Amino acid sequence: MSDSSRETAEGAGWGEAERGAYRRLMPDHVERLFWFNPKTMWAARNGVLASWFGDPTGRTRSRWVAQQAAAGAPADKVIRRPEADRFSFMVIGDTGEGDDSQYAVVPGFLKAGQDTDFAVIASDVIYPVGTADDYGTKFFRPYRDYPAPIYAIPGNHDWYEDLGAFMRVFCDDAPALPAEPGPRPLTRAWWRALLWHRPRPADERLLAQARKLRPSQGQTAVQPGPYWAIDAGPVRIVGIDTGLLGTIDAEQGAWLREVSRGPRPKILVTGSPLYVDGEHHPCAIEGGGTVDDIVRDPAHHYVAAIGGDIHNYQRYPVDVAGRTIQYVVAGGGGAFMHATHTIPPVSIANVTEDDFRCYPLRGDSLAFYSRLYGRRLRLRRLFTLTEAEATAVIAERLGIRPGRTPAPDTRVTRRTRLVATLLGAGSRPDRGPRFRLPVKKIYTQLFSPGSATYTPPFFKCFLRLDVSPEAVRLRCFAATGNRPQELDPPVEDEVAIPLT
């Protein structure tokens, strides 16, 4: 097995490694996605409008679910699969940018997942707005050689065109929802409707051609709606749709409580992680309560909660009344990389820095961004840090043991400290929040969304879960875009989750 980033810098993708062969899988022409492009920002405006004028997601979701029920979808929304007591499945989150950062993941994903029974996409199948015309290059083409079904839960970007394309692809070509009467003039709903981004008509020929890339019956997944459960072997996998704003409506909440009952071990898959960046985000349910209340209830027997949306890997083993629930972030499947070097030293829910795992390592994240902004600002000599320098300054600033030890002669200079500060690296808690918090807020809100890059290492990742009656073996595999990690995807994290 090849080295991981915790073992060597070469395992992280640094050095003179040969670029992988993933570009052979890509279309001849790839339209780069620039998040600060005014056209892109305007097309993706519905999340902002929902926060200003009220979120219509719950109403629209309820209509989709009712339409699927009328078409014969099971009332309990449970997909019953034929797997035996031992089976495997893949989880990959936030996939669909359609460029190098997505296709670089594909060779390792296919290699690690070649004998798995199905896969689940956890959030944001298609960027930037989930349009049907993008499914060819951002879903069907990259995963054309994955032989098993792929299920999905939508992310906020899939909702930017009211989920129409998602429902067509994953829910048996669900027809568009009929139009509803317009709201009363000059109300909040009227202003929202006036400014709302509407779905574009799909190019039916293009979509039909795309479907031919995954043509076999064995590759077909039909799910009952945007949220669902899968019964497979000894576990139930529960997928929830957190819509535009990271919450769920009362109707879905009632279903979640019902489908969570019983002693069968359960794994939650959600578009909004419950623990992320050292913080707890329990996910509100309309009408009261939270998703995490349901996960923590011992009567429901959840053993893990896996969320997309944040484009990296994180794991928090949280003790809940004497049992451990693994809270995982797994959104590194193909979009730009969200920084990990802005995560403060972890101390939450009795999870310490020694228990916490992330990928990329914080030092690699800082080195990645220093190179990126060194190029963009044409200040390479000032900004660019070696991976050893970045690792050393992170260890000094956060007071943590680095995941990979830098060379003993690595010096932390005033320049490396300045770059770490400018790029949002925090300080240890005993030094206080005087400067760290404002910088982190500015950095994560302004810099990260434009952080796409097209040269390795990309620091992408995906999960494989191997289920037996006794335990679930969860592994996080890395994809850097370099040849060594493409041929032999390294395991960046591994944990055995007991089921009994």
Side-chain angles (χ1 to χ4, degrees):
M1 182 177 293
S2 62
D3 288 345
S4 74
S5 69
R6 290 181 172 272
E7 295 167 308
T8 63
E10 292 74 22
W14 301 117
E16 302 299 324
E18 176 189 357
R19 179 179 285 208
Y22 67 86
R23 279 180 167 261
R24 300 174 190 170
L25 306 173
M26 298 173 66
D28 293 334
H29 172 72
V30 175
E31 184 177 349
R32 304 298 189 192
L33 183 55
F34 295 100
W35 287 99
F36 286 140
N37 184 318
K39 183 179 178 181
T40 301
M41 295 172 72
W42 178 243
R45 63 189 180 271
N46 285 0
V48 175
L49 295 176
S51 65
W52 288 353
F53 300 113
D55 185 2
T57 302
R59 166 66 181 166
T60 306
R61 183 189 295 118
S62 181
R63 295 178 68 211
W64 280 121
V65 169
Q67 180 174 278
Q68 288 300 103
D76 60 3
K77 302 172 188 60
V78 176
I79 304 161
R80 292 171 174 84
R81 291 191 52 85
E83 276 76 32
D85 283 349
R86 298 178 185 274
F87 73 99
S88 303
F89 68 102
M90 307 293 285
V91 176
I92 184 169
D94 298 79
T95 53
E97 279 203 7
D99 51 29
D100 295 61
S101 60
Q102 177 174 13
Y103 280 86
V105 181
V106 173
F109 175 82
L110 294 177
K111 187 175 182 65
Q114 60 188 340
D115 60 341
T116 53
D117 296 274
F118 59 90
V120 176
I121 296 180
S123 180
D124 290 339
V125 182
I126 301 294
Y127 292 102
V129 294
T131 186
D133 291 355
D134 284 341
Y135 267 86
T137 56
K138 299 179 181 182
F139 175 72
F140 287 104
R141 184 184 183 107
Y143 311 118
R144 64 190 300 178
D145 293 325
Y146 181 69
I150 300 176
Y151 302 94
I153 56 167
N156 57 310
H157 288 267
D158 301 301
W159 269 102
Y160 288 160
E161 288 201 349
D162 294 336
L163 213 62
F166 179 96
M167 295 296 293
R168 290 197 63 181
V169 170
F170 293 103
C171 300
D172 202 22
D173 210 16
L177 292 173
E180 288 191 303
R184 288 187 295 108
L186 302 181
T187 60
R188 294 175 71 208
W190 182 84
W191 284 109
R192 183 184 65 214
L194 181 67
L195 298 170
W196 202 252
H197 172 80
R198 301 293 176 185
R200 293 175 289 177
D203 184 331
E204 297 299 333
R205 181 190 59 82
L206 192 65
L207 185 57
Q209 286 295 113
R211 290 182 189 275
K212 293 179 181 177
L213 296 172
R214 285 180 53 84
S216 76
Q217 189 67 31
Q219 292 176 305
T220 302
V222 176
Q223 57 190 60
Y227 57 90
W228 40 258
I230 297 174
D231 281 351
V235 301
R236 171 170 283 183
I237 303 156
V238 180
I240 60 172
D241 168 21
T242 55
L244 284 170
L245 301 182
T247 60
I248 68 174
D249 61 281
E251 180 181 305
Q252 184 181 183
W255 170 84
L256 178 60
R257 291 184 175 96
E258 183 61 34
V259 83
S260 298
R261 298 183 191 279
R264 190 172 194 157
K266 298 171 187 73
I267 299 168
L268 182 75
V269 182
T270 169
S272 298
L274 304 181
Y275 281 87
V276 60
D277 293 348
E279 300 172 350
H280 185 211
H281 297 270
C283 188
I285 299 174
E286 181 186 21
T290 69
V291 169
D292 203 28
D293 292 339
I294 296 171
V295 170
R296 287 169 173 264
D297 189 329
H300 296 156
H301 295 271
Y302 277 92
V303 298
I306 302 170
D309 189 52
I310 302 301
H311 305 167
N312 53 45
Y313 173 81
Q314 301 173 44
R315 181 170 63 83
Y316 302 80
V318 177
D319 182 272
V320 179
R323 61 195 179 92
T324 299
I325 300 176
Q326 299 290 342
Y327 290 87
V328 176
V329 178
F336 66 86
M337 186 192 86
H338 276 130
T340 58
H341 65 266
T342 58
I343 302 173
V346 171
S347 179
I348 187 170
N350 294 320
V351 178
T352 68
E353 188 65 34
D354 289 339
D355 307 314
F356 171 70
R357 293 291 181 272
C358 70
Y359 177 79
L361 298 175
R362 290 184 181 91
D364 289 331
S365 172
L366 179 59
F368 173 95
Y369 275 97
S370 75
R371 295 181 182 211
L372 175 64
Y373 284 100
R375 290 194 302 269
R376 289 192 174 181
L377 300 175
R378 299 185 179 180
L379 294 170
R380 286 182 173 88
R381 292 186 64 184
L382 170 64
F383 262 80
T384 302
L385 304 180
T386 67
E387 53 81 21
E389 289 174 327
T391 298
V393 74
I394 284 290
E396 177 191 84
R397 280 188 156 248
L398 301 188
I400 62 175
R401 184 170 61 249
R404 184 178 66 249
T405 304
D409 59 347
T410 304
R411 295 176 57 240
V412 177
T413 65
R414 282 188 290 183
R415 181 185 73 87
T416 58
R417 294 187 183 103
L418 173 64
V419 172
T421 297
L422 292 175
L423 292 181
S427 61
R428 68 182 73 179
D430 58 10
R431 294 183 181 175
R434 181 168 54 91
F435 195 54
R436 174 175 60 85
L437 292 178
V439 169
K440 181 183 176 186
K441 183 175 181 180
I442 292 169
Y443 182 83
T444 54
Q445 292 184 359
L446 179 61
F447 282 6
S448 275
S451 62
T453 184
Y454 304 109
T455 56
F458 295 113
F459 296 108
K460 301 286 93 189
C461 58
F462 54 89
L463 307 183
R464 173 174 170 139
L465 291 89
D466 297 289
V467 181
S468 72
E470 298 78 31
V472 175
R473 180 191 186 196
L474 183 151
R475 285 177 288 172
C476 171
F477 289 87
T480 66
N482 286 326
R483 189 69 170 161
Q485 289 80 38
E486 197 173 84
L487 293 173
D488 187 11
V491 176
E492 289 292 334
D493 187 34
E494 179 173 353
V495 61
I497 306 171
L499 294 183
T500 57

